[in-house]
Amino acid sequence: MNDQKGVFMPMSGSNQKTLLSLFLVSILWGCNYPVSAYLLHGFSPVFLSTVRICFTSLFLIIVAFSVKGMKRPTNTEWKYLLGVGIFGTLLNQTFYFTGLKHTTPANASLILALSPIATILLERIIFKVKLTLKKASGALISLIGVFSIIGVGKGSIGISWGDFNILIAMLCLCISLLFIRGLSKTMNSFVITIYATVLGSVLMIPAAGVEGIVSGSVVSPSIFMWILLIAAGILAQGVAGFWWNKGVAKAGAGTASMFMNIQPFVAIIASHFILGNPILISQIFGGILVLSGVYIANLPSVKPIINAETNKMV
């Protein structure tokens, strides 16, 4: 941007590519919801999440070997990574796929869109972070939005088993973000992603064994379903994750977060075409409230600018 007023500098090719990559990742992640729901027709929830995260880990391990200077975690960092693995992968993935089997991808995406608000509330409870009026207002609006999606049905108040599991998955994700907050002081997001994902996949393997013993694992014999599963694990969780982190680094977290708002509506549209799910007014209305609340809660604080010459606020 030029210092002269009224002069507009066109967006560079590099910036355009960064924004395009963020947009494509949001589209990919939005489509990931109905694709995951489709895969649940051929696989049991825990087995599906385990195999998928293992292929993601395999991809990340290959990437890790190609990158020099991977930092070995300290004992304290391993404790944080274990927290991320338990809450961000083991519990989050188990509840997510279990819930997705009993609810719609649209509902799942809209409930998970509440995670920034839930994280703000958890920070207030655990770390005593000040809850401003702006954040409180955003949280209230988003909660009303989620309630309109999952809480009202046929004139009565209720919540489906699938929606409840997605809510638990969302809370587990938020708890894992608190562990990541501690890790980010000493490790970059690239290294955290690799270690946490691989550790999470190790934790998922016993969970898949328990599912097989208790209820029996469902494994599709279809080659197409396996190709789709592997592609989803590598592309949606592996490659897209790197594109996202790269985009955040170049465009900034604030700009990138705006693209997150695209995912729920992509999930609603993609679910309609992939699974034949109807597009409900309650989902659209609730989604707008959820995303509006997240936007309000994350608006940057406006600080007064001091004029250096007059020493007055402007």
Side-chain angles (χ1 to χ4, degrees):
M1 184 69 70
N2 197 302
D3 290 336
Q4 293 178 335
K5 294 182 179 180
V7 178
F8 174 76
M9 297 298 291
M11 185 181 294
S12 68
S14 177
N15 288 335
Q16 288 180 337
K17 289 181 180 179
T18 297
L19 297 179
L20 178 61
S21 68
L22 290 172
F23 177 76
L24 291 177
V25 170
S26 297
I27 296 295
L28 186 60
W29 281 346
C31 292
N32 186 49
Y33 287 96
V35 169
S36 297
Y38 179 80
L39 287 169
L40 284 168
H41 293 308
F43 301 95
S44 52
V46 181
F47 179 84
L48 171 59
S49 57
T50 300
V51 173
R52 179 168 160 159
I53 199 69
C54 283
F55 274 105
T56 304
S57 295
L58 181 61
F59 169 77
L60 293 177
I61 288 172
I62 294 173
V63 173
F65 275 113
S66 66
V67 177
K68 297 180 180 179
M70 281 286 293
K71 175 186 175 182
R72 177 174 294 183
T74 63
N75 290 336
T76 301
E77 288 170 341
W78 273 120
K79 293 177 183 178
Y80 280 117
L81 286 169
L82 183 61
V84 178
I86 292 174
F87 288 97
T89 300
L90 177 60
L91 297 178
N92 170 263
Q93 292 291 293
T94 300
F95 282 109
Y96 169 74
F97 280 101
T98 301
L100 194 58
K101 193 173 180 66
H102 301 284
T103 189
T104 64
N107 276 21
S109 64
L110 291 167
I111 294 170
L112 287 170
L114 186 65
S115 58
I117 296 297
T119 303
I120 289 173
L121 297 177
L122 284 175
E123 286 180 329
R124 169 60 182 167
I125 296 171
I126 298 174
F127 298 110
K128 308 300 180 184
V129 175
K130 184 179 179 181
L131 186 62
T132 63
L133 178 61
K134 180 180 60 180
K135 290 184 178 181
S137 300
L140 180 60
I141 294 171
S142 289
L143 287 172
I144 294 173
V146 169
F147 193 74
S148 72
I149 297 166
I150 67 175
V152 181
K154 298 180 181 180
S156 61
I157 304 300
I159 179 172
S160 74
W161 174 244
D163 290 335
F164 177 75
N165 275 271
I166 297 296
L167 273 173
I168 299 299
M170 183 270 294
L171 290 174
C172 290
L173 175 63
C174 294
I175 293 173
S176 74
L177 292 177
L178 299 180
F179 284 103
I180 292 176
R181 171 183 170 176
L183 278 171
S184 62
K185 297 176 182 178
T186 56
M187 301 177 74
N188 63 51
S189 60
F190 174 80
V191 177
I192 293 173
T193 300
I194 292 177
Y195 276 114
T197 304
V198 174
L199 179 59
S201 65
V202 173
L203 294 173
M204 286 297 302
I205 294 174
V210 172
E211 180 191 56
I213 296 172
V214 174
S215 58
S217 297
V218 177
V219 182
S220 174
S222 169
I223 296 178
F224 171 74
M225 293 290 276
W226 276 94
I227 292 174
L228 188 61
L229 189 161
I230 295 171
I234 294 177
L235 292 177
Q237 290 183 274
V239 176
F242 283 121
W243 284 355
W244 181 262
N245 289 335
K246 186 176 180 180
V248 171
K250 289 188 174 182
T255 299
S257 64
M258 294 299 100
F259 285 88
M260 295 290 287
N261 297 342
I262 300 172
Q263 293 180 42
F265 297 104
V266 171
I268 292 174
I269 297 171
S271 298
H272 177 71
F273 288 102
I274 295 175
L275 303 173
N277 292 343
I279 299 176
L280 305 177
I281 297 298
S282 61
Q283 293 172 335
I284 300 296
F285 177 72
I288 292 173
L289 287 178
V290 168
L291 300 179
S292 297
V294 172
Y295 176 76
I296 292 171
N298 288 281
L299 280 174
S301 299
V302 179
K303 297 181 179 180
I305 301 173
I306 306 298
N307 189 308
E309 296 179 359
T310 62
N311 200 32
K312 291 182 180 180
M313 291 188 296
V314 295

